Amino acid sequence: MPRSFETMTYRLLINDYEISTDFLNHLVKITIEHDLQLPSLFQIEFSDLSLQPSDNFNFDDLKLFKPGNSVEIKIISARSSTSVIKGEILGLEPHFNSEEPLSLTVWGCDYLHRLQRSTQTRSFVKMKDSDIAKQIATTAGLQVKVETVVDTKLVHEYLMQVNQSDLQFLQARAQQIGYELFTKGEVLFFQPLLNDSVVRYSFDFNFDLLEFQPRLSLAGQPTKTIVSTWDVDTQRSVFQSANPSPDSSSLKMLATIETTFVDLPVTPLEAETVAQAQAKQIRLNLVTGKATCIGEPGLRTGQQVELRGVGQKFSGQYFVTAVTHRLDSEGYFTDFKVKRNSL
C-alpha cells in the first residue's frame, strides 16, 4: 500500500524545544522547499487564532516564533524519523481579516541563507575553490568537515568576488566547475554534482508516483562545448572542448551546433575543467520533468531516483533538482523536479 499522510506524524522543534499540542491543533499547513540554486525555505501556517488574552490560544502565545530562533521539522513514520529541514525563522506574516479567523505564517530558511546577507568585493590569491568555500563558510558561522567539502585540487592564481553575496559567488564557482552547494543543519557541503550516484528511491506510477510530466528537448543541446579565453601568461588564445556522452547518439542531428563560453578561465587546465563541467550540466537538460509522489521525507536535491511505469523512453534514473514537501489537511505529498542526460 502507498504510504499516506495518516501514517505520518511530525515534530516541530523551536530552539530544540518541541512545541505543545495546543500549537499543533492550530497548525494547518507545513511547506518545505529545497532547490539546488537557493537556500531551502519553510513555511508554517497557523489559523483560528485569537486576539483575546483570555482565550486558550491567542496571538501573543506565538511569541515563541521569534525571528532568529532555530527551527527543525521532523517527519515520523513507522520506518524512521527524518529531519526534513533545520534553519532559522526569518519572518512572520499575520493575516487580519474582520470576516475570517486570525492566521499567521511563520517562515524561514536553512542556514545557507547566511551566505547572502551582504555583498562583497574581494580577491582570493593562490587558493583552491574548496579552500575558498571553507573560508567563506567559517566566516559566516557555518561548519565544514573534511568529507563535506571535496578537494577541488586546482589552485587558482587569482579569483575576484565583485559586488556579489557569498552565496552568489560560491554558486557561480560551483556551477563553473560542476559542483553543488548546500547545507545540512549548520554544516556546509561543497561537492561534485552527481556525487550521490546511488539510486536512493524508486517510484512506480499509480502506486506511489501520482503524477509525472517529462519534457524531452533537443533545443540547446550542442554536440560540443567549447571554452575560449585568453591566457595572460602565454599571451595566446586557449580553446578547450568537451563532447557529449556516448549514450547521446540522438544528438547527431545537431552536428553544426556549438556552445562557446567566453572569458571564464585563464589557464588551459582551468579551461578543460570548465568545458567538462559545462558539458555535463547542459546534457542534464536533455530530459526534464516534474512529479508528485506520496510523501517521502528523505527525498532531497542532488539525489538519484528511479521512475518506473512511465513508458520505455521515460522510465529510468533521474537527478533531483528541486523538492517541495507539503503537509496539510489533504495529506502529505512530495513534489519534485528531475533531469537526465539520456533516453
Side-chain angles (χ1 to χ4, degrees), residues 304-328:
Q304 296 278 351
V305 297
E306 182 180 10
L307 304 184
R308 302 168 177 168
V310 290
Q312 184 176 358
K313 187 180 294 294
F314 293 105
S315 294
Q317 292 187 26
Y318 286 85
F319 176 68
V320 180
T321 61
V323 177
T324 299
H325 299 280
R326 297 182 285 117
L327 299 94
D328 54 30

Side-chain angles (χ1 to χ4, degrees), residues 326-337:
R326 297 182 285 117
L327 299 94
D328 54 30
S329 58
E330 296 183 357
Y332 171 36
F333 303 95
T334 301
D335 306 316
F336 57 100
K337 295 180 180 179

Side-chain angles (χ1 to χ4, degrees), residues 21-315:
T21 304
D22 289 337
F23 286 91
L24 296 181
N25 288 339
H26 292 264
L27 195 157
V28 295
K29 186 175 183 180
I30 295 177
T31 305
I32 302 161
E33 300 178 11
H34 301 288
D35 191 288
L36 277 178
Q37 302 299 321
L38 299 168
S40 295
L41 171 73
F42 64 83
Q43 290 183 309
I44 307 167
E45 299 180 27
F46 295 91
S47 71
D48 200 21
L49 308 181
S50 171
L51 290 173
Q52 303 301 320
S54 58
D55 289 349
N56 291 332
F57 192 77
N58 62 72
F59 185 67
D60 289 331
D61 286 335
L62 293 172
K63 55 182 175 289
L64 179 64
F65 296 94
K66 179 181 178 181
N69 284 357
S70 66
V71 170
E72 181 177 8
I73 301 173
K74 294 182 177 182
I75 298 179
I76 316 297
S77 70
R79 298 172 296 145
S80 63
S81 170
T82 304
S83 177
V84 183
I85 191 170
K86 292 182 179 179
E88 298 172 308
I89 296 174
L90 299 182
L92 304 174
E93 298 180 8
H95 183 202
F96 299 91
N97 187 312
S98 60
E99 298 181 355
E100 297 178 0
L102 173 61
S103 64
L104 174 70
T105 298
V106 180
W107 67 273
C109 294
D110 68 359
Y111 292 98
L112 192 64
H113 83 90
R114 292 181 178 179
L115 300 181
Q116 60 180 14
R117 288 175 173 171
S118 62
T119 59
Q120 298 196 52
T121 297
R122 56 181 169 177
S123 59
F124 301 92
V125 180
K126 294 188 181 301
M127 292 184 67
K128 295 182 286 188
D129 286 304
S130 52
D131 291 333
I132 294 173
K134 291 177 183 178
Q135 176 180 311
I136 291 176
T138 301
T139 302
L142 298 176
Q143 302 173 24
V144 292
K145 300 180 180 180
V146 175
E147 64 272 19
T148 65
V149 178
V150 179
D151 190 351
T152 52
K153 297 183 172 58
L154 179 65
V155 177
H156 299 284
E157 289 295 322
Y158 183 85
L159 286 175
M160 192 74 181
Q161 179 180 352
V162 182
N163 195 30
Q164 295 172 293
S165 69
D166 290 336
L167 181 59
Q168 290 174 320
F169 176 68
L170 284 181
Q171 287 283 21
R173 294 307 311 157
Q175 183 175 10
Q176 190 174 95
I177 63 175
Y179 266 51
E180 58 180 337
L181 177 74
F182 61 95
T183 57
K184 288 184 179 180
E186 296 184 68
V187 180
L188 182 82
F189 286 73
F190 188 71
Q191 63 186 27
L193 196 66
L194 299 176
N195 188 62
D196 188 358
S197 59
V198 178
V199 173
R200 297 295 176 180
Y201 298 97
S202 297
F203 300 104
D204 293 277
F205 183 57
N206 280 334
F207 181 62
D208 48 6
L209 180 64
L210 306 178
E211 183 179 4
F212 181 46
Q213 295 178 269
R215 180 176 184 266
L216 165 64
S217 176
L218 294 179
Q221 287 289 328
T223 56
K224 181 183 295 186
T225 59
I226 299 178
V227 170
S228 172
T229 189
W230 184 258
D231 190 332
V232 294
D233 293 329
T234 63
Q235 296 295 297
R236 297 175 59 185
S237 295
V238 174
F239 297 92
Q240 291 289 348
S241 64
N243 296 318
S245 58
D247 57 3
S248 298
S249 57
S250 60
L251 303 184
K252 290 181 179 178
M253 66 184 73
L254 303 179
T256 61
I257 296 181
E258 295 181 347
T259 300
T260 303
F261 299 87
V262 182
D263 296 333
L264 291 177
V266 293
T267 68
L269 183 56
E270 287 176 315
E272 181 179 1
T273 300
V274 172
Q276 295 292 341
Q278 297 289 354
K280 178 186 293 186
Q281 293 190 38
I282 290 174
R283 287 196 299 268
L284 274 174
N285 290 315
L286 178 62
V287 181
T288 59
K290 54 184 180 179
T292 298
C293 67
I294 295 296
E296 179 48 71
L299 190 61
R300 295 284 192 279
T301 57
Q303 292 178 335
Q304 296 278 351
V305 297
E306 182 180 10
L307 304 184
R308 302 168 177 168
V310 290
Q312 184 176 358
K313 187 180 294 294
F314 293 105
S315 294

